[in-house]
Amino acid sequence: MGERLVLDPARIRELFDLRSQVYAHMGGSYEADPYPEFQRLRASGPVHEGTPGRLIGFTGEEFFQGLPFPERRHFSAFDFETCDHIVRHPETFSSSSLMPGETASLADSSMLTMDGDQHRRYRSLVQPSFVPGRARWWIEKWIEVTVEALIDGIEANGAADLNVEFCAAIPLLTICGSFGVTVEQALDIRAAVTSQGRGIQEFMGIVAPIVAARRERPEDDLISVLVQAELTEDGETHVLSDIDVLGFAFLLLAAGSGTTWKQMGITLTALLAQPEWLDRARQDPDVLRAAIEESTRWNATDPAFGRFVMHDTELAGVAVPSGSVVHPVFGAANRDPARWENPDVYDPGRPMRTHLAFGNGPHICLGMHVARAEMATAIGALLRRLPNLRTDPDAPPTKIIGMYERGPDTVPAVWG
Ligand code: HEM
């Protein structure tokens, strides 16, 4: 590790305030508990016509993968078996909104919206940097230094909203660090995203010169991996264009920042509510890992994704026509009583079974091992450095809010 990093707690608080407008169109205003509704829809379905939001009474703007597409019919699935089937059959349930014969625009050309061979070719370029064996690379180069700096900034106060003052900046600074972006520039990207919606331009302005520099002289970072990657298409091998590299990097930032932040907040919320598990996690890194995994099953930050139906088909007895959008509701699938006993209970001691918080099939989360490494390193350091960490008894109870991106409103904690 190099020099110790210094972060200004006031700037962090200002930049990651969850009341910001950016969250409104992802259903940030949704404050009810969706799980009783998910349960009712699973029991009376498990497949229903409608978007996940409308089916549970959410009336706000819906913008996410597979949304809004108002001209199409929408169907949502609420059990594990159907959701798992959808994501494992991309030939019927495509990640691309293009119907046969249509050509891709720039908006349709990220890995998340590709299918088949093209998806495999693009994904395999970055996959080696995201395997479990690479976790230490991420931890030692970028995660630890950020985590320690954030704790330095709050340690003496004896109290913090850990959601904003701790969890929020870790994923952004980790991913930006892996691009070779400085901490100041990473915070500028964040400011551009939240204040003027100018995130992409700010991002391009900062990352494009790094792409040029790494083409000249590669370093030990992710942009260097991308500029050296070779793609074989139609029998011809070529390196990625600048636009491809920037597109890749922007996808990683968009997919990996808010998600890991909020899932870390959800894990801390669950652990602070059950101090006996917090104690056990402090003593045993395996328990901490189980506590993180159980939080993703119990309350996935992204509870629903979308797929585009390529030909007429049927899901759990419901006819689903070509051109519709189906929404596997991973959050509901993860509490399917056919798969988990007492599924509503957060229980890190339960037998581990595959869940869908990171998806499944060819699009399973590319960054899941990095996300797990960030959460384990961060929460592990909090438990090591802040003695007697506990929920703030004077603060109102935490609520987990949001429709398509869920997370705690605050995580008020005290220590010492
Ligand atoms: C706890 C944190 C995270 C959660 C819950 C999460 C969840 C997901 C889910 C459910 C998918 C599948 C989407 C689909 O099936 O259409 C996905 C895909 C993806 N995630 Fe994550 N993610 C997290 C963190 C990250 C991080 C840290 C990164 C990168 C640094 C990342 C990068 C990606 C990418 C690139 C994809 C698209 C993969 C593909 O289309 O092949 N994610 N994520």
Side-chain angles (χ1 to χ4, degrees), residues 264-292:
M264 199 184 303
I266 291 169
T267 310
L268 280 167
T269 301
L271 283 174
L272 287 165
Q274 296 192 39
E276 63 287 2
W277 279 114
L278 196 72
D279 271 346
R280 291 181 60 181
R282 183 183 287 110
Q283 284 152 26
D284 184 347
D286 286 340
V287 174
L288 176 56
R289 271 189 287 276
I292 290 166

Side-chain angles (χ1 to χ4, degrees), residues 125-126 128-130 134 137-138 141-142 175-181 207-231 238-242 244-246 248-249 252:
L125 300 179
V126 278
S129 301
F130 288 88
R134 265 325 233 172
W137 184 63
W138 288 88
K141 281 183 79 80
W142 301 295
I175 299 169
C176 284
S178 80
F179 299 157
V181 166
V207 183
I210 301 177
V211 174
R214 298 299 188 269
R215 284 200 197 282
E216 288 287 307
R217 189 192 298 253
E219 291 189 13
D220 185 22
D221 62 20
L222 210 56
I223 298 294
S224 304
V225 170
L226 287 168
V227 298
Q228 293 178 89
E230 293 193 334
L231 191 64
H238 59 89
V239 293
L240 294 176
S241 67
D242 285 359
D244 279 340
V245 173
L246 290 166
F248 247 118
L252 295 174

Side-chain angles (χ1 to χ4, degrees), residues 225-416:
V225 170
L226 287 168
V227 298
Q228 293 178 89
E230 293 193 334
L231 191 64
T232 304
E233 280 177 311
D234 306 325
E236 292 205 4
T237 300
H238 59 89
V239 293
L240 294 176
S241 67
D242 285 359
I243 287 295
D244 279 340
V245 173
L246 290 166
F248 247 118
F250 195 74
L251 170 67
L252 295 174
L253 185 70
S257 308
T259 44
T260 314
W261 158 16
K262 289 171 189 162
Q263 197 69 56
M264 199 184 303
I266 291 169
T267 310
L268 280 167
T269 301
L271 283 174
L272 287 165
Q274 296 192 39
E276 63 287 2
W277 279 114
L278 196 72
D279 271 346
R280 291 181 60 181
R282 183 183 287 110
Q283 284 152 26
D284 184 347
D286 286 340
V287 174
L288 176 56
R289 271 189 287 276
I292 290 166
E293 209 55 35
E294 171 67 350
S295 100
T296 59
R297 181 204 66 83
W298 174 69
N299 232 311
T301 180
D302 291 346
F305 274 81
R307 291 293 189 271
F308 299 90
V309 181
M310 301 315 281
H311 53 80
D312 290 354
T313 187
E314 197 179 270
L315 277 176
V318 175
V320 177
S322 173
S324 315
V325 186
V326 294
H327 303 268
V329 183
F330 296 150
N334 284 350
R335 294 201 192 183
D336 187 337
R339 195 171 170 83
W340 287 279
E341 234 172 82
N342 297 325
D344 292 327
V345 176
Y346 172 76
D347 175 11
R350 69 169 67 246
M352 202 64 87
R353 302 196 70 180
T354 306
H355 59 72
L356 297 178
F358 292 110
N360 209 348
H363 289 274
I364 191 168
C365 179
L366 174 79
M368 64 186 175
H369 302 299
V370 175
R372 288 173 176 138
E374 287 178 49
M375 291 190 271
T377 307
I379 300 174
L382 274 186
L383 294 176
R384 179 170 41 80
R385 288 189 56 188
L386 304 180
N388 194 18
L389 180 73
R390 61 202 181 277
T391 204
D392 180 348
D394 300 326
T398 291
K399 280 197 297 245
I400 295 175
I401 59 169
M403 177 63 228
Y404 293 102
E405 289 191 357
R406 294 176 54 69
D409 53 355
T410 57
V411 182
V414 292
W415 54 89

Side-chain angles (χ1 to χ4, degrees), residues 4-32:
R4 209 164 173 107
L5 174 68
V6 178
L7 285 169
D8 172 10
R11 177 120 203 262
I12 298 290
R13 264 197 307 277
E14 175 198 319
L15 286 177
F16 292 94
D17 187 341
L18 267 174
R19 283 159 296 186
S20 129
Q21 280 306 310
V22 256
Y23 295 104
H25 72 303
M26 300 283 196
S29 58
Y30 183 79
E31 293 207 1

